[in-house]
Amino acid sequence: MAVNWFKYSSPPAFYPLAGRLIPWFAAAAAVLALIGIYVGLVVAPTDYQQGDSYRIIFIHVPAAWMSMFIYLVMAVYAGIGLIFNTRLSGYMARALAPTGAMFTFIALWTGALWGRPTWGAWWVWDARLTSELILLFLYLGYISLYAAIDDPRRAARASGLLALIGAVNVPIIYFSVKWWNTLHQGASISLTKAPTMAATMLTGMMIMAVAAWCYTIAVALMRVRCEILEREVHSEWAAEQLAREAR
Amino acid sequence: MNGGTMLGAMRSVLARDLMLAGRRPVDVVTALFFFVIVVSLFPLGIGPEGQILHAIAPGVVWVAALLASMLSLTRLFEADFVDGTLEQMILAPQPLSLIVLGKVSAHWLVTGAPLVLMSPLLGLQFGLSGEALMILALALLLGTPALSFIGALGAALTVGLRGGGALLALLILPLCVPVLIFGAGAVDAAATGMETGAHLSLLGAFLVMALCFGPWVTAAALRIALD
């Protein structure tokens, strides 16, 4: 049986599909997060160097991964939207941005909380921290540009272009910050020389990462449904949908 | 269409923008004075100790140059957008990216080049050595055009929007980080007697990249803005 993948690139077809998918991803996120927290806080052994403070890794690392990955996904959606002129990709990119910004913020915040007991400082101008901070600025720029433009079509296209430019720049920024850091011989802390991790620690981290993934999908789909209704309110099906949901 | 008329369009846009800037010299001088004042504020805020001022000079001059070039960017497309010239430029048979190249070149000549010329004087206030002053001017000469190209992109994305200035800075400043790092790094290296070639080469590489892709992406952004 041939599957027509393009069917769901149309907002009226995608809207109910998203509605059906949300509970599954939300439930998976909740269950996996509970398992991940149990593995992380109870099963995983105490680190012989850092004691129990390392346990923030179960939030910190998945958040950091998601922050970078979501920006990439956003840029891909923005690129598809600009090339094929599809409405839905613009909505998806917009729906992902706040979650990406949130994960970036969580990664920075938990990093600061982790840095205090291990390095003795809330913040160091390390290459990773600095580029993560700049990534947060890029997210905020994207969200503000989208919010500043009244015409939805122009908003989606202009901020999509910005997301693409940002995605091209992220590696450049990362390497320039890295070289800047080594030239200045700043904090002599290596994040890369982490001690080998116990298998349970890795398992906990992976489960949390999948939970973060499911959460992102659920939240993005919820947001994209709102976005679709808001943007398509002039069309017949969206008006019907709104009337049905208002009842 | 032959190459002559395409470059001719670029030249006439350049000449027109330069003439417009010449008719309103206050705009040009404002950005320059902003640069001078911001740099002069740092010693007042930090204190007159030569050692500290000497150490922070490259960063201060570069950050001030970055902010000064932001200042005038909102005007890059705004007037043309308001009176409809921009629409005619998009409709013109000549490639829009070449017209953008002309406009950005004019913008740099009017706001970037004066900063380059003024920078050694400001560096002198901070006690930089002769060689460091030369590198400072050279780094700004390579870096400020790149800033103009990146800034033009932001100006094109925000043309016609409310509160364009602050938004423009929010969009563009994170993208300017690499230029700032290697620009200030070159001067820092010169001041401490280290090799500056790597920094200047990287700045040159940024400039080449901005020159190749900047006008093209800016043209795309303008088309979106006036869709």
Side-chain angles (χ1 to χ4, degrees):
Chain A
M1 195 186 81
V3 182
N4 183 6
W5 290 105
F6 295 104
K7 183 185 166 193
Y8 291 112
S9 66
S10 125
F14 185 73
Y15 185 87
L17 174 73
R20 279 201 301 280
L21 289 177
I22 287 169
W24 292 99
F25 281 108
V31 170
L32 286 171
L34 282 177
I35 298 173
I37 288 171
Y38 174 76
V39 170
L41 297 187
V42 181
V43 178
T46 302
D47 188 78
Y48 75 99
Q49 273 181 328
Q50 302 185 11
D52 277 327
S53 68
Y54 89 91
R55 286 181 199 275
I56 204 163
I57 201 174
F58 296 109
I59 303 258
H60 177 74
V61 173
W65 281 344
M66 289 314 285
S67 68
M68 290 178 270
F69 182 67
I70 290 176
Y71 198 89
L72 202 66
V73 176
M74 244 174 69
V76 169
Y77 271 122
I80 293 174
L82 283 174
I83 294 166
F84 299 108
N85 217 349
T86 46
R87 278 173 296 165
L88 190 59
S89 348
Y91 301 157
M92 277 306 283
R94 169 70 187 92
L96 283 165
T99 310
M102 184 200 76
F103 275 122
T104 316
F105 183 76
I106 291 179
L108 286 169
W109 191 262
T110 53
L113 290 179
W114 192 16
R116 182 74 188 120
T118 41
W119 305 336
W122 296 104
W123 181 264
V124 290
W125 289 97
D126 169 84
R128 287 191 196 196
L129 276 74
T130 315
S131 38
E132 190 78 4
L133 185 66
I134 293 168
L135 185 65
L136 181 63
F137 295 155
L138 289 177
Y139 272 118
L140 296 181
Y142 175 89
I143 295 171
S144 341
L145 181 64
Y146 199 100
I149 304 177
D150 292 327
D151 173 27
R153 233 179 86 80
R154 183 186 164 192
R157 292 172 68 79
S159 47
L161 190 63
L162 183 69
L164 273 182
I165 299 162
V168 172
N169 262 285
V170 162
I172 300 178
I173 293 173
Y174 177 74
F175 280 107
S176 48
V177 172
K178 201 177 158 82
W179 289 333
W180 161 75
N181 189 254
T182 42
L183 285 173
H184 279 250
Q185 314 220 323
S188 58
I189 299 152
S190 171
L191 288 166
T192 44
K193 272 189 295 178
T196 43
M197 213 179 272
T200 43
M201 291 184 195
L202 195 64
T203 316
M205 223 160 72
M206 285 303 170
I207 295 173
M208 286 301 278
V210 180
W213 210 305
C214 291
Y215 164 82
T216 307
I217 296 174
V219 171
L221 287 180
M222 277 184 196
R223 220 175 268 131
V224 88
R225 265 162 68 95
C226 288
E227 192 82 13
I228 288 174
L229 279 190
E230 229 173 89
R231 298 298 188 211
E232 315 264 316
V233 72
H234 54 270
S235 70
E236 208 170 302
W237 76 270
E240 273 171 27
Q241 185 69 38
L242 271 176
R244 211 174 309 141
E245 279 179 25
R247 238 179 272 142
Chain B
M1 193 188 348
N2 58 39
T5 61
M6 290 197 326
L7 289 179
M10 192 188 104
R11 261 201 304 273
S12 52
V13 169
L14 177 66
R16 167 183 172 270
D17 275 21
L18 286 179
M19 189 184 353
L20 285 175
R23 296 270 159 87
R24 304 202 54 184
V26 179
D27 288 356
V28 180
V29 178
T30 312
L32 185 60
F33 277 154
F34 176 83
F35 177 59
V36 173
I37 290 173
V38 168
V39 172
S40 314
L41 280 180
F42 274 88
L44 299 177
I46 288 164
E49 292 88 3
Q51 199 97 50
I52 300 172
L53 290 182
H54 190 250
I56 62 165
V60 166
V61 175
W62 259 94
V63 171
L66 187 57
L67 295 178
S69 65
M70 285 293 111
L71 202 62
S72 48
L73 272 173
T74 39
R75 287 198 306 272
L76 185 55
F77 298 116
E78 201 63 41
D80 287 348
F81 172 71
V82 170
D83 67 12
T85 313
L86 197 55
E87 208 156 302
Q88 298 307 315
M89 286 174 175
I90 291 178
L91 292 173
Q94 286 81 14
L96 183 56
S97 45
L98 277 179
I99 296 176
V100 168
L101 185 60
K103 282 192 80 70
V104 176
S105 313
H107 176 264
W108 180 77
L109 284 174
V110 170
T111 59
L115 301 189
V116 176
L117 295 177
M118 184 59 95
S119 59
L121 196 60
L122 296 175
L124 208 58
Q125 285 187 314
F126 281 75
L128 288 180
S129 65
E131 198 204 350
L133 289 177
M134 205 182 73
I135 296 294
L136 176 66
L138 191 58
L140 280 169
L141 185 66
L142 288 171
T144 46
L147 295 182
S148 285
F149 279 113
I150 300 172
L153 189 57
L157 285 170
T158 57
V159 67
L161 299 182
R162 287 166 273 111
L167 182 62
L168 178 70
L170 185 60
L171 302 185
I172 289 310
L173 289 178
L175 301 178
C176 293
V177 166
V179 178
L180 174 67
I181 285 175
F182 294 112
V187 187
D188 213 24
T192 48
M194 283 193 300
E195 194 59 47
T196 57
H199 288 100
L200 293 175
S201 304
L202 280 164
L203 272 180
F206 282 127
L207 177 57
V208 170
M209 208 171 81
L211 183 68
C212 291
F213 296 108
W216 181 58
V217 183
T218 307
L222 283 175
R223 286 213 171 84
I224 291 172
L226 272 88
D227 206 4

